[in-house]
Amino acid sequence: MTVPVEETIEPQGLNGIRICDFTGQLAGAGATKILAAFGAEVIRVEDPTNKGKWDILRGIPPWVADARGLEAGGAFNNHNAGKLGITLNLRDDRAKELLRELVSISDAVTENFAAGVMDRLGFGYDELREIREDIVYVSNNGFGSTGPYSSFKSWGPIAQAVSGLTFTSGLPEQPPAGWGYSFMDHTGAYYMATAVLMALLHRRRTGEGQWVDLACIEAAGTLHGTATLDATVNGRAMRRSGMPNSNRSQSPRMAPHGIWATQGENQWIAIAVRDDSDWRLFAEVVNEPWSQEHRWQFAVDRLSAEDELEQLVAAWAAPQDRHALAQRLIDAGVPAAPVLRPGERIDSDERTSDLWITVDHSEVGPSRVEGLPVRLSETNWSLSRGAACLGEHNSYVFGQLLGLDEQEINELAEEGVI
Amino acid sequence: MTPKDSKAALTGYRVIELASERCALAGKLLADMGAEVIVVEPPGGCETRAWEPFADDVPGLENSLHWWHYNTSKKSVMVDIETEVGAQQFRSLLATADVVIEAEPLGRLDALGLDWNQLREDESQLIWTSISHHGRDGADPPATDLTLLAEGGPVWSCGYDDQQLPPVRGGGNQAFHTACHYAVPAILVALMWRETSSRGQLIDVSMLGAANATTEFATLWWLNAEQEVQRQTGRHAHVRPTEWTQIRCADGRWFNTGMPPRNKREFAALRTWIEELGLVEECSSYEILKLGDQYERIGVFELDADPLAGEVFQAGRDVIEFLAQRLPAYELFLGLQERGMACGIVYSPDEMIEDPHFVERGFPVDVFYEDRNSTYTHPGAPYRFQRTPWMATRAPHLGEHQVLIEDVSE
């Protein structure tokens, strides 16, 4: 029997940690991917009766290369790289018993179902604790497990809308631009990984397990602290004229600070003049009569005529090449960057080329996924396996870990238990 | 206090943070969970102390709300690491530390003899965390949150249907946040490993990499299909145009409609709501909505195969638009969610913190400022630990904990 534990030369920080994982989509699966990358054995549990389609990313585009179908979803493959996959039909008592056995040899249980689902399955925190007293249980949903909205549903864009992240991203006189992707699914996953690790660390030091109730919208609600305090301390609400304008900088105040069109279609440059010293450097690069005017030399004056200044910058930037211009500004010491398109940053930016790795998916073959933007000198992360196919590791988990023989496993499969 | 008696998850760990906008959140996340985080400030204080907005709009070292938010639960010492005495004080402090977090310009600490490379042998258990533009072995261009999000990918996906409008940087300094969101799990992994190995290590965090790893479908479409997503107003950037999901309500507020109604339960719930509101006569899509009873689920397959399914699906969207024209956003939010449909009101951050749900959950927390004899409401816990709760105390005054610095001058 193949042992699906990844062969790594270096030790990994979470070797020996086992996660019984019910997560899906990005908000949950993104968390346990981080744990898997650091060496935890993450065993993802899926429902065989609907072929794991509770995770809506299973079997939807973008497809991995020419493959199609339930095992070929590129997002699913990305978010579940490095994990094992098993199936359990928890409507069946035999499956529940297997899950109890799995929980008893796991360090943490993770899920991002709607609130109450685990209770209805008979695996709420109280039941989990009866199986293993020191279990770490982390639940992650939009509104959390208590409170008047605990039954409300959420996904990334809703978490962003309710938390304030959508409102604060946009230009004046326009609707909210919001985030053009599920920023809070990524970030909810970061908070979930953090929660699991903090709880595991506490357990390693004290022997004590616990439940962490993560509400993605509350995590999001911490990400605009300065603006929130401006309201709670100074009574200055964010909903006011000219606000928000998130291409400008409020804290600290900077001007000019924004994104301007450059030569070519849909080509943009971001420029941030942090202070008066940056302004002097910027004015030299611009080298036009207006940039030499004394009226712009102090931040207070640049801020009070920000609209006018931005128009001057716009006219100056418009005919220029965004890459060359950004480089001139950086060389002069002024923060600037072209707005990179996906292909440019993924295929041509050597500074981040380590991030894009190829994993091997047992059905669809090699595929590219995101790694982690960190390096640890002694226990680095590693991912080599793509997302598990439905039930791919049933024989390892039910056989090797839980002690069933091949015949028993086959019978359970035939009877739809696994 | 030993970890055994503790009510905080990270009790007993000492973290030294070199004050910087770039790593302040990493320190806060550890401090609010019980680590002793000592922020080392230069003479005159961290530059963020000078940033607007200020409490009561009065500038002052202790008044920056940026400082207040990012430095809760920390301690402050002032050390001039550019001097010999300061460097010695810093080294003594490091000798007591479990974790260091720094985001200094590359080469600065090395030039002072205070970098990981110079200290690692003496401090073999130390976990040293560097947050830099794109790694310690890279260059260090001048950069801000804006430029990182522009070249790191997020900006490309954010903006408007009108491609003539500039793409948008999402608010809140999320480039620095995202780097910290990777730094903290890495630190926790290193602490986990140290508990068994008794060895520290170096953690090298790339801010540019963190932004790149946080763009969802822009990256996924390119990695898998070499297709480029395009910006759309208030919804996911996509390789093909998609229907609106953001709509203005009767009170002028914006609203995210989430997933449109797709099954007979949802169509029926919408229909009954129209009836309850007495709007059957006015609602031109009401009749076709009734046909929704025929559909277990309208998905891509049904939309392709059955023209009527398309009409019913469209009626669901039309009815939500119809309701939005008549109801304030909050009522639409409660009404749809209570009927099982995912959607969201577009709150500003200060409105979210006052919403009754989050108030009942205790999300807004009161932090006492004894020097001002006042209590102010901060955003609270990002996660609710049952046994080791998140807790915040006010940010430290400059040098408030100077007593922690060993006197090395003698």
Side-chain angles (χ1 to χ4, degrees):
Chain A
M1 182 190 298
T2 319
V3 179
V5 173
E6 303 221 2
E7 291 288 330
T8 50
I9 300 155
E10 293 172 351
Q12 287 195 282
L14 300 181
N15 282 159
I17 295 291
R18 181 176 292 132
I19 312 285
C20 174
D21 181 28
F22 289 90
T23 64
Q25 290 94 41
L26 172 57
T32 52
K33 175 186 177 180
I34 293 171
L35 304 177
F38 283 121
E41 183 177 74
V42 176
I43 300 173
R44 201 166 178 281
V45 182
E46 296 183 278
D47 181 355
T49 64
N50 64 11
K51 297 190 167 57
K53 284 196 282 189
W54 170 77
D55 188 335
I56 54 169
L57 298 177
R58 239 197 199 287
I60 66 158
W63 304 111
V64 176
D66 298 327
R68 295 292 182 273
L70 274 182
E71 306 300 351
F76 183 82
N77 185 44
N78 184 74
H79 307 332
N80 292 290
K83 305 176 194 173
L84 311 182
I86 64 167
T87 44
L88 278 175
N89 174 8
L90 291 172
R91 294 161 200 82
D92 190 296
D93 286 342
R94 288 168 294 177
K96 289 189 173 179
E97 184 49 37
L98 287 169
L99 179 57
R100 274 190 283 274
E101 288 176 31
L102 179 58
V103 169
S104 73
I105 56 166
S106 296
D107 300 283
V109 174
T110 49
E111 54 98 352
N112 64 320
F113 294 130
V117 168
M118 287 297 277
D119 283 322
R120 289 199 291 279
L121 289 171
F123 290 91
Y125 178 59
D126 289 341
E127 287 87 1
L128 292 172
R129 206 169 44 162
E130 272 175 32
I131 301 166
R132 180 164 177 166
E133 169 66 26
D134 65 349
I135 198 80
V136 164
Y137 169 51
V138 180
S139 58
N140 170 7
N141 55 51
F143 292 88
S145 66
T146 62
Y149 307 163
S150 59
S151 68
F152 285 13
K153 296 175 182 168
S154 178
W155 64 305
I158 290 169
Q160 286 150 214
V162 177
S163 65
L165 282 166
T166 298
F167 178 85
T168 49
S169 298
L171 302 174
E173 316 307 326
Q174 296 291 334
W179 288 77
Y181 57 98
S182 289
F183 175 78
M184 261 331 284
D185 283 355
H186 277 291
T187 302
Y190 302 150
Y191 277 91
M192 187 178 196
T194 299
V196 174
L197 288 164
M198 282 178 176
L200 284 174
L201 187 58
H202 178 73
R203 196 189 71 159
R204 185 165 281 183
R205 298 165 81 208
T206 64
E208 192 175 74
Q210 62 182 316
W211 174 18
V212 185
D213 170 19
L214 169 56
C216 217
I217 297 172
E218 289 176 341
T222 66
L223 299 176
H224 274 101
T226 310
T228 303
L229 287 177
D230 201 18
T232 60
V233 176
N234 291 331
R236 188 179 291 117
M238 278 207 90
R239 203 179 283 275
R240 61 184 194 266
S241 172
M243 288 285 285
N245 182 344
S246 59
N247 284 358
R248 290 187 176 173
S249 181
Q250 307 299 329
S251 181
R253 302 295 303 277
M254 304 183 211
H257 182 282
I259 298 172
W260 288 276
T262 56
Q263 188 188 72
E265 198 188 329
N266 220 343
Q267 315 271 333
W268 309 86
I269 188 169
I271 301 170
V273 173
R274 292 166 294 189
D275 50 26
D276 295 343
S277 150
D278 271 2
W279 171 259
R280 287 190 290 277
L281 303 168
F282 178 73
E284 267 180 49
V285 174
V286 173
N287 196 25
E288 291 199 11
W290 62 266
S291 72
Q292 307 303 325
E293 287 178 31
H294 289 304
R295 61 175 292 210
W296 300 120
Q297 62 184 323
F298 298 117
V300 60
D301 299 315
R302 294 194 300 278
L303 286 163
S304 67
E306 211 167 351
D307 289 338
E308 184 188 347
L309 182 58
E310 286 180 357
Q311 283 177 15
L312 291 164
V313 176
W316 165 74
Q320 309 213 45
D321 175 81
R322 71 198 152 111
H323 292 285
L325 183 55
Q327 195 58 54
R328 279 171 63 206
L329 288 165
I330 288 166
D331 290 345
V334 179
V339 173
L340 290 184
R341 306 167 85 110
E344 292 175 325
R345 64 184 171 80
I346 293 169
D347 292 344
S348 313
D349 192 343
E350 288 177 4
R351 302 171 299 176
T352 45
S353 56
D354 288 356
L355 188 62
W356 318 112
I357 58 170
T358 299
V359 294
D360 198 22
H361 186 287
S362 51
E363 195 165 295
V364 300
S367 58
R368 293 174 84 193
V369 299
E370 296 164 327
L372 272 56
V374 296
R375 268 192 307 243
L376 275 65
S377 63
E378 306 302 313
T379 61
N380 203 15
W381 61 272
S382 148
L383 289 167
S384 57
R385 186 173 45 227
C389 297
L390 196 65
E392 182 174 346
H393 301 103
N394 280 356
S395 60
Y396 165 69
V397 172
F398 299 128
Q400 206 156 315
L401 294 185
L402 301 185
L404 269 57
D405 65 34
E406 203 176 326
Q407 194 188 338
E408 288 172 304
I409 294 172
N410 289 341
E411 279 171 17
L412 290 170
E414 277 164 29
E415 289 166 31
V417 178
I418 62 174
Chain B
M1 187 161 42
T2 67
K4 192 80 190 163
D5 316 320
S6 165
K7 285 288 158 229
L10 302 180
T11 298
Y13 289 127
R14 177 175 272 194
V15 179
I16 307 298
E17 176 198 324
L18 272 163
S20 161
E21 167 191 26
R22 295 178 170 188
C23 61
L25 178 64
K28 172 179 165 64
L29 288 169
L30 300 174
D32 291 340
M33 289 302 288
E36 182 192 34
V37 178
I38 303 171
V39 58
V40 177
E41 301 191 67
C46 177
E47 66 168 350
T48 63
R49 288 181 178 273
W51 290 356
E52 297 179 46
F54 297 103
D56 302 328
D57 293 327
V58 177
L61 273 180
E62 306 304 341
N63 293 357
S64 165
L65 300 184
H66 189 286
W67 180 261
W68 283 19
H69 173 66
Y70 285 102
N71 296 282
T72 51
S73 313
K74 297 182 191 174
K75 296 177 176 175
S76 161
V77 296
M78 190 168 67
V79 179
D80 185 356
I81 61 171
E82 309 253 348
T83 65
E84 234 171 80
V85 169
Q88 191 51 40
Q89 289 171 330
F90 185 62
R91 278 192 204 97
S92 314
L93 205 49
L94 290 187
T96 69
D98 300 286
V99 176
V100 170
I101 305 173
E102 58 90 5
E104 294 301 296
L106 289 180
R108 176 174 188 243
L109 293 175
D110 186 68
L112 296 169
L114 297 175
D115 199 8
W116 163 253
N117 295 327
Q118 293 131 336
L119 300 168
R120 58 191 301 182
E121 279 177 26
D122 298 340
E123 312 300 344
S124 62
Q125 290 209 35
L126 190 61
I127 294 164
W128 186 288
T129 315
S130 286
I131 297 178
S132 60
H133 186 271
H134 56 273
R136 283 168 62 97
D137 55 1
D140 198 4
T144 66
D145 179 78
L146 172 76
T147 62
L148 282 161
L149 292 176
E151 59 185 335
V155 163
W156 176 259
S157 294
C158 302
Y160 296 98
D161 294 326
D162 179 356
Q163 303 289 298
Q164 302 305 309
L165 287 169
V168 166
R169 167 184 77 137
N173 288 340
Q174 307 300 341
F176 302 140
H177 288 174
T178 302
C180 292
H181 291 153
Y182 274 101
V184 169
I187 290 167
L188 294 166
V189 166
L191 283 168
M192 286 280 284
W193 187 65
R194 201 187 72 160
E195 288 291 325
T196 49
S197 71
S198 298
R199 289 172 58 196
Q201 57 180 315
L202 173 67
I203 298 169
D204 187 358
V205 182
S206 161
M207 293 191 290
L208 189 63
N212 264 277
T214 311
T215 72
E216 205 194 11
F217 280 107
T219 286
L220 298 172
W221 273 103
W222 190 265
L223 280 180
N224 290 288
E226 298 204 347
Q227 291 191 54
E228 190 177 71
V229 299
Q230 301 297 333
R231 302 183 291 282
Q232 305 193 101
T233 306
R235 63 195 188 282
H236 274 55
H238 203 279
V239 294
R240 285 178 304 280
T242 60
E243 295 281 350
W244 55 261
T245 56
Q246 185 171 271
I247 189 170
R248 196 162 214 168
C249 290
D251 58 354
R253 295 195 171 214
W254 291 96
F255 185 82
N256 188 301
T257 57
M259 298 280 190
R262 280 170 302 177
N263 58 52
K264 64 179 180 187
R265 184 188 53 77
E266 292 171 334
F267 293 123
L270 263 188
R271 198 184 67 216
T272 351
W273 195 17
I274 295 285
E275 289 160 6
E276 286 163 21
L277 292 167
L279 293 170
V280 172
E281 296 300 315
E282 284 177 59
C283 181
S284 59
S285 303
Y286 174 79
E287 287 302 322
I288 189 140
L289 200 60
K290 282 174 152 175
L291 303 174
D293 288 348
Q294 303 171 21
Y295 294 95
E296 266 325 310
R297 186 174 184 281
I298 298 183
V300 180
F301 172 77
E302 289 78 10
L303 287 171
D304 271 353
D306 175 2
L308 183 63
E311 284 185 49
V312 172
F313 184 79
Q314 185 58 41
R317 287 174 58 84
D318 290 345
V319 168
I320 289 175
E321 194 174 3
F322 169 86
L323 287 167
Q325 287 161 359
R326 283 157 184 81
L327 299 174
Y330 186 66
E331 255 178 66
L332 186 60
F333 168 56
L334 291 189
L336 288 174
Q337 282 279 13
E338 281 164 358
R339 289 165 176 82
M341 282 166 273
C343 63
I345 183 171
V346 176
Y347 274 143
S348 66
D350 45 310
E351 290 164 352
M352 175 266 184
I353 204 171
E354 291 178 341
D355 178 281
H357 173 77
F358 300 108
V359 170
E360 183 169 320
R361 279 176 57 82
F363 177 68
V365 295
D366 287 339
V367 175
F368 183 56
Y369 290 68
E370 79 286 355
D371 50 326
R372 308 171 71 92
N373 198 25
S374 294
T375 295
Y376 300 107
T377 304
H378 282 238
Y383 22 49
R384 307 172 72 76
F385 282 66
Q386 184 203 46
R387 294 198 185 189
T388 58
W390 179 100
M391 276 188 295
T393 55
R394 67 155 174 81
H397 299 155
L398 177 57
E400 184 175 346
H401 305 89
Q402 206 67 19
V403 66
L404 294 169
I405 296 292
E406 230 175 86
D407 187 356
V408 292
S409 55
E410 287 163 19

